[in-house]
mmCIF file with all atom_site columns, all heavy atoms in Angstrom:
data_model
loop_
_atom_site.group_PDB
_atom_site.id
_atom_site.type_symbol
_atom_site.label_atom_id
_atom_site.label_alt_id
_atom_site.label_comp_id
_atom_site.label_asym_id
_atom_site.label_entity_id
_atom_site.label_seq_id
_atom_site.pdbx_PDB_ins_code
_atom_site.Cartn_x
_atom_site.Cartn_y
_atom_site.Cartn_z
_atom_site.occupancy
_atom_site.B_iso_or_equiv
_atom_site.pdbx_formal_charge
_atom_site.auth_seq_id
_atom_site.auth_comp_id
_atom_site.auth_asym_id
_atom_site.auth_atom_id
_atom_site.pdbx_PDB_model_num
ATOM 1   N N   . ASP A 1 187 ? 40.435 1.845   -3.177 1.00 0.00 ? 187 ASP A N   1
ATOM 2   C CA  . ASP A 1 187 ? 40.582 0.776   -2.194 1.00 0.00 ? 187 ASP A CA  1
ATOM 3   C C   . ASP A 1 187 ? 39.449 0.868   -1.161 1.00 0.00 ? 187 ASP A C   1
ATOM 4   O O   . ASP A 1 187 ? 39.434 1.791   -0.347 1.00 0.00 ? 187 ASP A O   1
ATOM 5   C CB  . ASP A 1 187 ? 41.968 0.942   -1.491 1.00 0.00 ? 187 ASP A CB  1
ATOM 6   C CG  . ASP A 1 187 ? 42.262 -0.195  -0.531 1.00 0.00 ? 187 ASP A CG  1
ATOM 7   O OD1 . ASP A 1 187 ? 41.553 -1.206  -0.636 1.00 0.00 ? 187 ASP A OD1 1
ATOM 8   O OD2 . ASP A 1 187 ? 43.148 -0.041  0.331  1.00 0.00 ? 187 ASP A OD2 1
ATOM 9   N N   . LEU A 1 188 ? 38.531 -0.074  -1.246 1.00 0.00 ? 188 LEU A N   1
ATOM 10  C CA  . LEU A 1 188 ? 37.371 -0.080  -0.378 1.00 0.00 ? 188 LEU A CA  1
ATOM 11  C C   . LEU A 1 188 ? 37.216 -1.411  0.304  1.00 0.00 ? 188 LEU A C   1
ATOM 12  O O   . LEU A 1 188 ? 37.502 -2.487  -0.259 1.00 0.00 ? 188 LEU A O   1
ATOM 13  C CB  . LEU A 1 188 ? 36.113 0.210   -1.194 1.00 0.00 ? 188 LEU A CB  1
ATOM 14  C CG  . LEU A 1 188 ? 35.957 1.626   -1.807 1.00 0.00 ? 188 LEU A CG  1
ATOM 15  C CD1 . LEU A 1 188 ? 34.698 1.676   -2.693 1.00 0.00 ? 188 LEU A CD1 1
ATOM 16  C CD2 . LEU A 1 188 ? 35.902 2.684   -0.733 1.00 0.00 ? 188 LEU A CD2 1
ATOM 17  N N   . ASP A 1 189 ? 36.738 -1.381  1.537  1.00 0.00 ? 189 ASP A N   1
ATOM 18  C CA  . ASP A 1 189 ? 36.333 -2.570  2.307  1.00 0.00 ? 189 ASP A CA  1
ATOM 19  C C   . ASP A 1 189 ? 34.876 -2.377  2.717  1.00 0.00 ? 189 ASP A C   1
ATOM 20  O O   . ASP A 1 189 ? 34.465 -1.260  3.064  1.00 0.00 ? 189 ASP A O   1
ATOM 21  C CB  . ASP A 1 189 ? 37.229 -2.741  3.540  1.00 0.00 ? 189 ASP A CB  1
ATOM 22  C CG  . ASP A 1 189 ? 38.638 -3.104  3.151  1.00 0.00 ? 189 ASP A CG  1
ATOM 23  O OD1 . ASP A 1 189 ? 38.808 -3.855  2.154  1.00 0.00 ? 189 ASP A OD1 1
ATOM 24  O OD2 . ASP A 1 189 ? 39.572 -2.673  3.844  1.00 0.00 ? 189 ASP A OD2 1
ATOM 25  N N   . PHE A 1 190 ? 34.158 -3.487  2.677  1.00 0.00 ? 190 PHE A N   1
ATOM 26  C CA  . PHE A 1 190 ? 32.705 -3.415  2.998  1.00 0.00 ? 190 PHE A CA  1
ATOM 27  C C   . PHE A 1 190 ? 32.372 -4.360  4.127  1.00 0.00 ? 190 PHE A C   1
ATOM 28  O O   . PHE A 1 190 ? 33.130 -5.302  4.458  1.00 0.00 ? 190 PHE A O   1
ATOM 29  C CB  . PHE A 1 190 ? 31.876 -3.783  1.741  1.00 0.00 ? 190 PHE A CB  1
ATOM 30  C CG  . PHE A 1 190 ? 31.918 -2.775  0.655  1.00 0.00 ? 190 PHE A CG  1
ATOM 31  C CD1 . PHE A 1 190 ? 32.934 -2.873  -0.330 1.00 0.00 ? 190 PHE A CD1 1
ATOM 32  C CD2 . PHE A 1 190 ? 31.053 -1.721  0.575  1.00 0.00 ? 190 PHE A CD2 1
ATOM 33  C CE1 . PHE A 1 190 ? 32.998 -1.935  -1.387 1.00 0.00 ? 190 PHE A CE1 1
ATOM 34  C CE2 . PHE A 1 190 ? 31.124 -0.792  -0.449 1.00 0.00 ? 190 PHE A CE2 1
ATOM 35  C CZ  . PHE A 1 190 ? 32.098 -0.895  -1.432 1.00 0.00 ? 190 PHE A CZ  1
ATOM 36  N N   . ASP A 1 191 ? 31.213 -4.066  4.759  1.00 0.00 ? 191 ASP A N   1
ATOM 37  C CA  . ASP A 1 191 ? 30.731 -4.961  5.819  1.00 0.00 ? 191 ASP A CA  1
ATOM 38  C C   . ASP A 1 191 ? 30.431 -6.361  5.229  1.00 0.00 ? 191 ASP A C   1
ATOM 39  O O   . ASP A 1 191 ? 30.123 -6.518  4.060  1.00 0.00 ? 191 ASP A O   1
ATOM 40  C CB  . ASP A 1 191 ? 29.441 -4.380  6.419  1.00 0.00 ? 191 ASP A CB  1
ATOM 41  C CG  . ASP A 1 191 ? 29.688 -3.097  7.190  1.00 0.00 ? 191 ASP A CG  1
ATOM 42  O OD1 . ASP A 1 191 ? 30.829 -2.944  7.715  1.00 0.00 ? 191 ASP A OD1 1
ATOM 43  O OD2 . ASP A 1 191 ? 28.789 -2.266  7.281  1.00 0.00 ? 191 ASP A OD2 1
ATOM 44  N N   . ASP A 1 192 ? 30.517 -7.352  6.123  1.00 0.00 ? 192 ASP A N   1
ATOM 45  C CA  . ASP A 1 192 ? 30.257 -8.707  5.698  1.00 0.00 ? 192 ASP A CA  1
ATOM 46  C C   . ASP A 1 192 ? 28.775 -8.986  5.494  1.00 0.00 ? 192 ASP A C   1
ATOM 47  O O   . ASP A 1 192 ? 28.388 -9.858  4.708  1.00 0.00 ? 192 ASP A O   1
ATOM 48  C CB  . ASP A 1 192 ? 30.798 -9.687  6.745  1.00 0.00 ? 192 ASP A CB  1
ATOM 49  C CG  . ASP A 1 192 ? 32.307 -9.623  6.837  1.00 0.00 ? 192 ASP A CG  1
ATOM 50  O OD1 . ASP A 1 192 ? 32.947 -9.274  5.837  1.00 0.00 ? 192 ASP A OD1 1
ATOM 51  O OD2 . ASP A 1 192 ? 32.835 -9.897  7.964  1.00 0.00 ? 192 ASP A OD2 1
ATOM 52  N N   . THR A 1 193 ? 27.928 -8.271  6.211  1.00 0.00 ? 193 THR A N   1
ATOM 53  C CA  . THR A 1 193 ? 26.475 -8.449  6.070  1.00 0.00 ? 193 THR A CA  1
ATOM 54  C C   . THR A 1 193 ? 25.823 -7.150  5.619  1.00 0.00 ? 193 THR A C   1
ATOM 55  O O   . THR A 1 193 ? 26.396 -6.069  5.811  1.00 0.00 ? 193 THR A O   1
ATOM 56  C CB  . THR A 1 193 ? 25.816 -8.877  7.409  1.00 0.00 ? 193 THR A CB  1
ATOM 57  O OG1 . THR A 1 193 ? 26.118 -7.903  8.445  1.00 0.00 ? 193 THR A OG1 1
ATOM 58  C CG2 . THR A 1 193 ? 26.363 -10.270 7.822  1.00 0.00 ? 193 THR A CG2 1
ATOM 59  N N   . CYS A 1 194 ? 24.629 -7.281  5.067  1.00 0.00 ? 194 CYS A N   1
ATOM 60  C CA  . CYS A 1 194 ? 23.959 -6.085  4.506  1.00 0.00 ? 194 CYS A CA  1
ATOM 61  C C   . CYS A 1 194 ? 23.193 -5.330  5.571  1.00 0.00 ? 194 CYS A C   1
ATOM 62  O O   . CYS A 1 194 ? 23.031 -5.770  6.676  1.00 0.00 ? 194 CYS A O   1
ATOM 63  C CB  . CYS A 1 194 ? 23.039 -6.536  3.392  1.00 0.00 ? 194 CYS A CB  1
ATOM 64  S SG  . CYS A 1 194 ? 21.570 -7.437  4.022  1.00 0.00 ? 194 CYS A SG  1
ATOM 65  N N   . SER A 1 195 ? 22.694 -4.185  5.169  1.00 0.00 ? 195 SER A N   1
ATOM 66  C CA  . SER A 1 195 ? 21.801 -3.349  5.967  1.00 0.00 ? 195 SER A CA  1
ATOM 67  C C   . SER A 1 195 ? 20.645 -2.956  5.079  1.00 0.00 ? 195 SER A C   1
ATOM 68  O O   . SER A 1 195 ? 20.747 -2.925  3.839  1.00 0.00 ? 195 SER A O   1
ATOM 69  C CB  . SER A 1 195 ? 22.510 -2.108  6.520  1.00 0.00 ? 195 SER A CB  1
ATOM 70  O OG  . SER A 1 195 ? 23.020 -1.348  5.461  1.00 0.00 ? 195 SER A OG  1
ATOM 71  N N   . ILE A 1 196 ? 19.495 -2.664  5.717  1.00 0.00 ? 196 ILE A N   1
ATOM 72  C CA  . ILE A 1 196 ? 18.290 -2.271  4.904  1.00 0.00 ? 196 ILE A CA  1
ATOM 73  C C   . ILE A 1 196 ? 18.517 -0.957  4.249  1.00 0.00 ? 196 ILE A C   1
ATOM 74  O O   . ILE A 1 196 ? 19.187 -0.078  4.774  1.00 0.00 ? 196 ILE A O   1
ATOM 75  C CB  . ILE A 1 196 ? 17.043 -2.286  5.760  1.00 0.00 ? 196 ILE A CB  1
ATOM 76  C CG1 . ILE A 1 196 ? 17.130 -1.208  6.854  1.00 0.00 ? 196 ILE A CG1 1
ATOM 77  C CG2 . ILE A 1 196 ? 16.771 -3.647  6.399  1.00 0.00 ? 196 ILE A CG2 1
ATOM 78  C CD1 . ILE A 1 196 ? 15.806 -1.041  7.620  1.00 0.00 ? 196 ILE A CD1 1
ATOM 79  N N   . SER A 1 197 ? 17.954 -0.824  3.062  1.00 0.00 ? 197 SER A N   1
ATOM 80  C CA  . SER A 1 197 ? 18.032 0.428   2.309  1.00 0.00 ? 197 SER A CA  1
ATOM 81  C C   . SER A 1 197 ? 16.640 0.932   1.959  1.00 0.00 ? 197 SER A C   1
ATOM 82  O O   . SER A 1 197 ? 15.629 0.533   2.602  1.00 0.00 ? 197 SER A O   1
ATOM 83  C CB  . SER A 1 197 ? 18.890 0.222   1.069  1.00 0.00 ? 197 SER A CB  1
ATOM 84  O OG  . SER A 1 197 ? 19.172 1.459   0.432  1.00 0.00 ? 197 SER A OG  1
ATOM 85  N N   . THR A 1 198 ? 16.539 1.750   0.917  1.00 0.00 ? 198 THR A N   1
ATOM 86  C CA  . THR A 1 198 ? 15.292 2.400   0.575  1.00 0.00 ? 198 THR A CA  1
ATOM 87  C C   . THR A 1 198 ? 14.188 1.403   0.255  1.00 0.00 ? 198 THR A C   1
ATOM 88  O O   . THR A 1 198 ? 13.022 1.497   0.697  1.00 0.00 ? 198 THR A O   1
ATOM 89  C CB  . THR A 1 198 ? 15.486 3.345   -0.591 1.00 0.00 ? 198 THR A CB  1
ATOM 90  O OG1 . THR A 1 198 ? 16.540 4.275   -0.283 1.00 0.00 ? 198 THR A OG1 1
ATOM 91  C CG2 . THR A 1 198 ? 14.188 4.128   -0.907 1.00 0.00 ? 198 THR A CG2 1
ATOM 92  N N   . GLY A 1 199 ? 14.536 0.347   -0.531 1.00 0.00 ? 199 GLY A N   1
ATOM 93  C CA  . GLY A 1 199 ? 13.518 -0.634  -0.929 1.00 0.00 ? 199 GLY A CA  1
ATOM 94  C C   . GLY A 1 199 ? 12.951 -1.395  0.257  1.00 0.00 ? 199 GLY A C   1
ATOM 95  O O   . GLY A 1 199 ? 11.743 -1.652  0.328  1.00 0.00 ? 199 GLY A O   1
ATOM 96  N N   . ALA A 1 200 ? 13.815 -1.788  1.192  1.00 0.00 ? 200 ALA A N   1
ATOM 97  C CA  . ALA A 1 200 ? 13.274 -2.507  2.391  1.00 0.00 ? 200 ALA A CA  1
ATOM 98  C C   . ALA A 1 200 ? 12.395 -1.616  3.210  1.00 0.00 ? 200 ALA A C   1
ATOM 99  O O   . ALA A 1 200 ? 11.379 -2.086  3.762  1.00 0.00 ? 200 ALA A O   1
ATOM 100 C CB  . ALA A 1 200 ? 14.450 -3.025  3.236  1.00 0.00 ? 200 ALA A CB  1
ATOM 101 N N   . ARG A 1 201 ? 12.765 -0.358  3.313  1.00 0.00 ? 201 ARG A N   1
ATOM 102 C CA  . ARG A 1 201 ? 11.899 0.590   4.058  1.00 0.00 ? 201 ARG A CA  1
ATOM 103 C C   . ARG A 1 201 ? 10.538 0.764   3.361  1.00 0.00 ? 201 ARG A C   1
ATOM 104 O O   . ARG A 1 201 ? 9.487  0.880   4.008  1.00 0.00 ? 201 ARG A O   1
ATOM 105 C CB  . ARG A 1 201 ? 12.602 1.950   4.224  1.00 0.00 ? 201 ARG A CB  1
ATOM 106 C CG  . ARG A 1 201 ? 13.871 1.847   5.087  1.00 0.00 ? 201 ARG A CG  1
ATOM 107 C CD  . ARG A 1 201 ? 14.429 3.239   5.347  1.00 0.00 ? 201 ARG A CD  1
ATOM 108 N NE  . ARG A 1 201 ? 15.665 3.197   6.126  1.00 0.00 ? 201 ARG A NE  1
ATOM 109 C CZ  . ARG A 1 201 ? 16.898 3.205   5.599  1.00 0.00 ? 201 ARG A CZ  1
ATOM 110 N NH1 . ARG A 1 201 ? 17.021 3.278   4.288  1.00 0.00 ? 201 ARG A NH1 1
ATOM 111 N NH2 . ARG A 1 201 ? 17.951 3.123   6.380  1.00 0.00 ? 201 ARG A NH2 1
#
Side-chain angles (χ1 to χ4, degrees):
D187 185 16
L188 292 175
D189 292 324
F190 291 90
D191 292 331
D192 295 332
T193 58
C194 70
S195 58
I196 64 173
S197 189
T198 306
R201 295 186 182 96

